[in-house]
Amino acid sequence: MKERRKEERVPSVNEIAISVTSEDKNIPKKEFLYNYSKDISVSGARIQSSILLPPDTTVTIKFKLKLLEDEITALGKVRWVKVLIEDKSYEAGVEFVDTPEDAVKKLKFYVSQITKLHHSDDKR
């Protein structure tokens, strides 16, 4: 299967907050806490959520990345969804769109640090 991702993704579980910014009447406009990223790259993330986010839903995601002091906020578009537990848990692939340059720099730094950690673990 051909890899379609633009950037390298690294496994990284981080607590996130999601706000829906699309005009979808079926999804309440509030911030949902207790969601997690499962992996992340400069161009997107795989997230786990307690709400179903249909494809093409636009969301704002606030990441508190483990190695960084700052919070990163990114606008994203849901590209795919997988049901983990019906009506309770979902995974979604989110592509970042219109990401501020400051957030891109932080994401690049974070991904490079996680990559270094994984390569140093491989050498042991």
Side-chain angles (χ1 to χ4, degrees), residues 84-96:
L84 299 178
I85 302 171
E86 192 69 41
D87 294 328
K88 292 189 192 256
S89 184
Y90 307 90
E91 261 186 7
V94 177
E95 179 182 17
F96 299 144

Side-chain angles (χ1 to χ4, degrees), residues 34-45:
Y34 309 114
N35 300 289
Y36 295 90
S37 67
K38 304 292 265 179
D39 60 34
I40 193 166
S41 77
V42 174
S43 61

Side-chain angles (χ1 to χ4, degrees), residues 24-117:
D24 189 325
K25 293 181 178 112
N26 296 323
I27 303 173
K29 292 230 184 273
K30 67 175 188 173
E31 194 168 89
F32 300 94
L33 302 174
Y34 309 114
N35 300 289
Y36 295 90
S37 67
K38 304 292 265 179
D39 60 34
I40 193 166
S41 77
V42 174
S43 61
R46 178 170 50 119
I47 62 171
Q48 187 169 338
S49 176
S50 58
I51 58 165
L52 177 61
L53 299 167
D56 294 324
T57 300
T58 304
V59 294
T60 300
I61 304 173
K62 293 180 182 174
F63 293 89
K64 183 67 173 162
L65 301 174
K66 291 176 186 172
L67 295 177
L68 298 178
E69 301 279 328
D70 295 336
E71 184 175 80
I72 295 175
T73 301
L75 185 65
K77 187 165 270 218
V78 176
R79 295 298 179 196
W80 58 265
V81 178
K82 178 180 172 185
V83 177
L84 299 178
I85 302 171
E86 192 69 41
D87 294 328
K88 292 189 192 256
S89 184
Y90 307 90
E91 261 186 7
V94 177
E95 179 182 17
F96 299 144
V97 293
D98 299 326
T99 309
E101 188 59 35
D102 184 49
V104 171
K105 287 179 184 175
K106 290 177 185 176
L107 285 166
K108 283 182 179 178
F109 175 77
Y110 181 77
V111 169
S112 72
Q113 295 304 305
I114 295 296
T115 302
K116 285 178 189 173
L117 285 173

Side-chain angles (χ1 to χ4, degrees), residues 12-23:
S12 179
V13 177
N14 295 285
E15 195 170 303
I16 61 173
I18 301 169
S19 301
V20 176
T21 53
S22 310
E23 295 297 323

